[in-house]
Amino acid sequence: MKKLLLLAFLTLPCAAPAQSQTVNFTTEEYAPFNYRDGKVIKGATVEQVEKVMADIGVDYTMELLPWARAYSLAQSQPMTCVFATAHNALRDPLFKWIEPLLVDRNILITRKGSGVVANDLEASKKYTIGTQREDYTEMVLRQKGFTKLDIATDFNATLRKLLGGRIDMMPISELYFEKLKADQPVEMVTILSSQPMGIACNRDFPSDLQVRMQTALDKLIADGTQKEIFLKYGLHLGN
């Protein structure tokens, strides 16, 4: 009888160790933070995610998608995280957070020569503002009472509309604006919001893995690596 019990135990399938799980990252095309260069995904936030995962030794995948799709997958798939995601009160309970990949202000910009004049957000409400579906700026604009919104599938589509005169203004990271204005005829109108940007993981994401990722990011920030990455991409932090 003992031999039969031992044989039955030995033939039971073994559970896969937790560390064998793969983290699936989703992000959007938003240079210089995350973008495709040929077949390679690069960017200032991409490099931070890569270093965090290399530090903790966990396998991962990364996919560039329209923002609404990237954001939706992180909400519905247990091992999925989306970045760089603005962390605000409404989003806080929807995810497990690892942050900050950066702390940024979001500003409203227009194309040079557009004739747009607005000294504050209230004066901006008479203009058509472009943004992306499910982007946090859509939420911020609606909360602040903006009604003339033009919703596109991704950031680049919104930027093309702005430069083509199809919309009056669009929200953009202040850090990215400092780089964009060197190549495009754009100018700042007013400040929209300020927020930390982080990695937002599904609610069922393993808590121990979240802690390990946060510890690795904290170390990356403390030793100056995060700042070096931003400088590499021509981004100058205010702190």
Side-chain angles (χ1 to χ4, degrees):
M1 183 59 136
K2 289 183 179 180
K3 288 183 178 180
L4 290 174
L5 290 174
L6 178 60
L7 180 61
F9 175 79
L10 292 174
T11 56
L12 286 173
C14 294
Q19 58 266 34
S20 69
Q21 290 181 298
T22 299
V23 178
N24 305 305
F25 289 103
T26 62
T27 188
E28 66 175 332
E29 182 84 27
Y30 192 178
F33 299 106
N34 7 271
Y35 63 96
R36 191 182 303 281
D37 183 3
K39 295 184 178 180
V40 180
I41 300 176
K42 294 183 176 181
T45 54
V46 171
E47 283 201 23
Q48 292 182 64
V49 171
E50 290 173 339
K51 289 183 180 297
V52 163
M53 300 310 288
D55 189 6
I56 65 175
V58 173
D59 291 335
Y60 66 94
T61 65
M62 192 176 295
E63 191 172 8
L64 208 65
L65 299 166
W67 180 254
R69 176 66 175 156
Y71 186 78
S72 175
L73 284 174
Q75 288 184 292
S76 61
Q77 302 297 320
M79 288 301 293
T80 301
C81 304
V82 59
F83 73 93
T85 309
H87 190 169
N88 55 35
L90 288 177
R91 283 179 171 177
D92 181 71
L94 302 179
F95 299 100
K96 290 183 177 177
W97 297 88
I98 298 100
E99 60 185 358
L101 293 176
L102 67 131
V103 177
D104 190 26
R105 292 198 308 179
N106 214 279
I107 61 175
L108 290 175
I109 66 168
T110 188
R111 70 190 182 286
K112 289 183 177 179
S114 67
V116 169
V117 179
N119 295 322
D120 54 32
L121 292 183
E122 195 60 36
S124 301
K125 293 177 182 178
K126 65 182 179 182
Y127 295 104
T128 299
I129 315 293
T131 186
Q132 299 74 249
R133 184 171 291 107
E134 295 298 330
D135 190 88
Y136 82 100
T137 56
E138 179 187 1
M139 182 191 311
V140 170
L141 287 163
R142 294 191 189 280
Q143 287 178 335
K144 293 181 180 294
F146 285 82
T147 57
K148 299 177 68 175
L149 300 182
D150 181 288
I151 310 299
T153 56
D154 58 48
F155 174 84
N156 288 331
T158 303
L159 182 58
R160 286 194 297 269
K161 289 182 180 182
L162 182 75
L163 297 175
R166 296 164 57 193
I167 57 176
D168 299 310
M169 287 186 279
M170 68 177 289
I172 190 173
S173 158
E174 188 175 34
L175 287 173
Y176 183 35
F177 172 70
E178 292 302 318
K179 189 176 181 69
L180 180 68
K181 69 181 183 181
D183 303 314
Q184 300 291 350
V186 294
E187 58 189 6
M188 176 179 169
V189 179
T190 190
I191 296 170
L192 177 63
S193 63
S194 178
Q195 60 285 313
M197 310 287 288
I199 303 168
C201 297
N202 184 272
R203 286 288 305 277
D204 292 329
F205 193 78
S207 294
D208 60 332
L209 185 51
Q210 175 195 11
V211 170
R212 292 170 62 196
M213 290 169 65
Q214 184 66 63
T215 299
L217 179 60
D218 290 344
K219 183 170 68 174
L220 184 147
I221 294 169
D223 67 13
T225 301
Q226 186 184 70
K227 184 175 181 180
E228 290 175 3
I229 291 172
F230 277 109
L231 291 174
K232 172 183 175 180
Y233 285 91
L235 300 167
H236 299 274
L237 296 174
N239 51 17

PDB file of all heavy atoms in Angstrom, residues 100-105 175 194-197 237 239:
ATOM      1  N   PRO A 100       7.777  56.302  -9.719  1.00  0.00           N
ATOM      2  CA  PRO A 100       7.439  56.926 -10.999  1.00  0.00           C
ATOM      3  C   PRO A 100       8.482  56.646 -12.077  1.00  0.00           C
ATOM      4  O   PRO A 100       9.680  56.642 -11.794  1.00  0.00           O
ATOM      5  CB  PRO A 100       7.438  58.414 -10.649  1.00  0.00           C
ATOM      6  CG  PRO A 100       8.537  58.536  -9.618  1.00  0.00           C
ATOM      7  CD  PRO A 100       8.513  57.240  -8.828  1.00  0.00           C
ATOM      8  N   LEU A 101       8.021  56.420 -13.284  1.00  0.00           N
ATOM      9  CA  LEU A 101       8.930  56.417 -14.424  1.00  0.00           C
ATOM     10  C   LEU A 101       9.314  57.859 -14.752  1.00  0.00           C
ATOM     11  O   LEU A 101      10.381  58.111 -15.297  1.00  0.00           O
ATOM     12  CB  LEU A 101       8.273  55.765 -15.639  1.00  0.00           C
ATOM     13  CG  LEU A 101       7.981  54.259 -15.510  1.00  0.00           C
ATOM     14  CD1 LEU A 101       7.237  53.763 -16.742  1.00  0.00           C
ATOM     15  CD2 LEU A 101       9.270  53.466 -15.313  1.00  0.00           C
ATOM     16  N   LEU A 102       8.441  58.784 -14.439  1.00  0.00           N
ATOM     17  CA  LEU A 102       8.715  60.212 -14.499  1.00  0.00           C
ATOM     18  C   LEU A 102       7.584  60.948 -13.796  1.00  0.00           C
ATOM     19  O   LEU A 102       6.515  60.392 -13.581  1.00  0.00           O
ATOM     20  CB  LEU A 102       8.833  60.708 -15.944  1.00  0.00           C
ATOM     21  CG  LEU A 102       7.555  60.676 -16.780  1.00  0.00           C
ATOM     22  CD1 LEU A 102       7.366  62.021 -17.480  1.00  0.00           C
ATOM     23  CD2 LEU A 102       7.625  59.586 -17.836  1.00  0.00           C
ATOM     24  N   VAL A 103       7.852  62.180 -13.407  1.00  0.00           N
ATOM     25  CA  VAL A 103       6.816  63.079 -12.907  1.00  0.00           C
ATOM     26  C   VAL A 103       6.768  64.235 -13.899  1.00  0.00           C
ATOM     27  O   VAL A 103       7.776  64.874 -14.163  1.00  0.00           O
ATOM     28  CB  VAL A 103       7.121  63.594 -11.487  1.00  0.00           C
ATOM     29  CG1 VAL A 103       6.048  64.576 -11.038  1.00  0.00           C
ATOM     30  CG2 VAL A 103       7.216  62.422 -10.521  1.00  0.00           C
ATOM     31  N   ASP A 104       5.606  64.466 -14.466  1.00  0.00           N
ATOM     32  CA  ASP A 104       5.530  65.390 -15.593  1.00  0.00           C
ATOM     33  C   ASP A 104       4.319  66.307 -15.499  1.00  0.00           C
ATOM     34  O   ASP A 104       3.311  65.956 -14.900  1.00  0.00           O
ATOM     35  CB  ASP A 104       5.452  64.570 -16.895  1.00  0.00           C
ATOM     36  CG  ASP A 104       5.619  65.424 -18.140  1.00  0.00           C
ATOM     37  OD1 ASP A 104       6.252  66.494 -18.050  1.00  0.00           O
ATOM     38  OD2 ASP A 104       5.131  65.015 -19.198  1.00  0.00           O
ATOM     39  N   ARG A 105       4.451  67.474 -16.130  1.00  0.00           N
ATOM     40  CA  ARG A 105       3.299  68.349 -16.332  1.00  0.00           C
ATOM     41  C   ARG A 105       2.780  68.135 -17.749  1.00  0.00           C
ATOM     42  O   ARG A 105       3.543  67.847 -18.660  1.00  0.00           O
ATOM     43  CB  ARG A 105       3.683  69.817 -16.152  1.00  0.00           C
ATOM     44  CG  ARG A 105       4.032  70.177 -14.744  1.00  0.00           C
ATOM     45  CD  ARG A 105       3.972  71.669 -14.496  1.00  0.00           C
ATOM     46  NE  ARG A 105       4.750  72.447 -15.454  1.00  0.00           N
ATOM     47  CZ  ARG A 105       4.815  73.787 -15.428  1.00  0.00           C
ATOM     48  NH1 ARG A 105       4.134  74.469 -14.516  1.00  0.00           N
ATOM     49  NH2 ARG A 105       5.536  74.444 -16.320  1.00  0.00           N
ATOM     50  N   LEU A 175       7.829  67.654 -20.986  1.00  0.00           N
ATOM     51  CA  LEU A 175       9.153  67.153 -21.330  1.00  0.00           C
ATOM     52  C   LEU A 175       9.273  66.905 -22.828  1.00  0.00           C
ATOM     53  O   LEU A 175      10.271  67.255 -23.462  1.00  0.00           O
ATOM     54  CB  LEU A 175       9.443  65.856 -20.567  1.00  0.00           C
ATOM     55  CG  LEU A 175       9.726  65.980 -19.073  1.00  0.00           C
ATOM     56  CD1 LEU A 175       9.812  64.601 -18.448  1.00  0.00           C
ATOM     57  CD2 LEU A 175      11.004  66.761 -18.822  1.00  0.00           C
ATOM     58  N   SER A 194      -0.670  68.113 -13.723  1.00  0.00           N
ATOM     59  CA  SER A 194       0.618  67.580 -13.294  1.00  0.00           C
ATOM     60  C   SER A 194       0.377  66.236 -12.635  1.00  0.00           C
ATOM     61  O   SER A 194      -0.576  66.090 -11.854  1.00  0.00           O
ATOM     62  CB  SER A 194       1.300  68.536 -12.313  1.00  0.00           C
ATOM     63  OG  SER A 194       2.525  67.994 -11.866  1.00  0.00           O
ATOM     64  N   GLN A 195       1.212  65.235 -12.937  1.00  0.00           N
ATOM     65  CA  GLN A 195       0.962  63.890 -12.431  1.00  0.00           C
ATOM     66  C   GLN A 195       2.201  62.989 -12.537  1.00  0.00           C
ATOM     67  O   GLN A 195       3.055  63.204 -13.376  1.00  0.00           O
ATOM     68  CB  GLN A 195      -0.174  63.223 -13.216  1.00  0.00           C
ATOM     69  CG  GLN A 195       0.105  63.076 -14.690  1.00  0.00           C
ATOM     70  CD  GLN A 195      -0.014  64.360 -15.451  1.00  0.00           C
ATOM     71  OE1 GLN A 195      -0.984  65.085 -15.291  1.00  0.00           O
ATOM     72  NE2 GLN A 195       0.972  64.657 -16.269  1.00  0.00           N
ATOM     73  N   PRO A 196       2.277  61.968 -11.637  1.00  0.00           N
ATOM     74  CA  PRO A 196       3.308  60.944 -11.788  1.00  0.00           C
ATOM     75  C   PRO A 196       2.895  59.964 -12.879  1.00  0.00           C
ATOM     76  O   PRO A 196       1.706  59.692 -13.082  1.00  0.00           O
ATOM     77  CB  PRO A 196       3.328  60.256 -10.418  1.00  0.00           C
ATOM     78  CG  PRO A 196       1.942  60.443  -9.893  1.00  0.00           C
ATOM     79  CD  PRO A 196       1.466  61.769 -10.420  1.00  0.00           C
ATOM     80  N   MET A 197       3.860  59.441 -13.610  1.00  0.00           N
ATOM     81  CA  MET A 197       3.627  58.450 -14.658  1.00  0.00           C
ATOM     82  C   MET A 197       4.316  57.153 -14.241  1.00  0.00           C
ATOM     83  O   MET A 197       5.496  57.163 -13.864  1.00  0.00           O
ATOM     84  CB  MET A 197       4.199  58.928 -15.995  1.00  0.00           C
ATOM     85  CG  MET A 197       3.788  60.343 -16.387  1.00  0.00           C
ATOM     86  SD  MET A 197       2.080  60.482 -16.907  1.00  0.00           S
ATOM     87  CE  MET A 197       2.145  59.684 -18.504  1.00  0.00           C
ATOM     88  N   LEU A 237      14.986  66.960 -16.814  1.00  0.00           N
ATOM     89  CA  LEU A 237      14.044  66.994 -15.703  1.00  0.00           C
ATOM     90  C   LEU A 237      14.224  68.272 -14.905  1.00  0.00           C
ATOM     91  O   LEU A 237      15.331  68.822 -14.799  1.00  0.00           O
ATOM     92  CB  LEU A 237      14.275  65.785 -14.784  1.00  0.00           C
ATOM     93  CG  LEU A 237      14.019  64.411 -15.434  1.00  0.00           C
ATOM     94  CD1 LEU A 237      14.429  63.317 -14.474  1.00  0.00           C
ATOM     95  CD2 LEU A 237      12.574  64.264 -15.815  1.00  0.00           C
ATOM     96  N   ASN A 239      13.988  68.520 -11.691  1.00  0.00           N
ATOM     97  CA  ASN A 239      14.578  68.338 -10.361  1.00  0.00           C
ATOM     98  C   ASN A 239      16.029  67.932 -10.447  1.00  0.00           C
ATOM     99  O   ASN A 239      16.547  67.722 -11.506  1.00  0.00           O
ATOM    100  CB  ASN A 239      13.790  67.296  -9.558  1.00  0.00           C
ATOM    101  CG  ASN A 239      13.587  66.003 -10.337  1.00  0.00           C
ATOM    102  OD1 ASN A 239      14.259  65.735 -11.321  1.00  0.00           O
ATOM    103  ND2 ASN A 239      12.629  65.218  -9.887  1.00  0.00           N
TER     104      ASN A 239
END
